Amino acid sequence: QVQLVESGGGLVQAGGSLRLSCVVSGRTFGTYIMGWFCQAPGKEREFVAAISSIGVTAYAADSVKGRFTISRDNGKNTVYLQMNSLKPEDTAVYYCAKKPSGLALGSTAGYDSWGQGTQVTVSS
């Protein structure tokens, strides 16, 4: 069974930056679309960004465009989320997830494995 483990969350002031990492077990990382999602208290889980299996194409939610960047290193089985210009409303638990590369990059459907999440808190 594939495992996804996030790290890099923490407490940061508004305007600051964090880089989240997600390490995926196994030998087939390069066949997955990888995505980041977030869930704030009392809210539904929301899509943040996704990246194609070889990292050529990325897609981000409008709320984070220009501030967050998704990337991946297939040699390290790792996907990253660089978060800049953080705002208090970015406070949430951030999750990484995977889905087969044959599915639509821009769709939030089809993710079949999730990490345990990492907390990001942005103070004003």
Side-chain angles (χ1 to χ4, degrees), residues 22-92:
C22 172
V23 179
V24 181
S25 67
R27 300 184 177 184
T28 55
F29 179 72
T31 67
Y32 307 143
I33 288 171
M34 296 301 301
W36 285 98
F37 293 76
C38 68
Q39 187 168 20
K43 294 188 176 181
E44 297 286 322
R45 186 157 53 189
E46 297 180 349
F47 170 78
V48 176
I51 189 166
S52 62
S53 60
I54 59 173
V56 171
T57 306
Y59 182 78
D62 288 343
S63 60
V64 304
K65 282 181 181 176
R67 299 191 299 124
F68 292 7
T69 302
I70 187 171
S71 63
R72 67 190 293 160
D73 184 338
N74 284 1
K76 296 182 178 180
N77 279 23
T78 302
V79 61
Y80 304 98
L81 185 68
Q82 179 66 44
M83 310 166 71
N84 298 330
S85 302
L86 282 160
K87 304 175 182 179
E89 51 264 43
D90 295 320
T91 294

Side-chain angles (χ1 to χ4, degrees), residues 6-22:
E6 303 96 335
S7 62
L11 173 64
V12 63
Q13 288 189 328
S17 298
L18 284 173
R19 188 175 82 155
L20 307 184
S21 300
C22 172

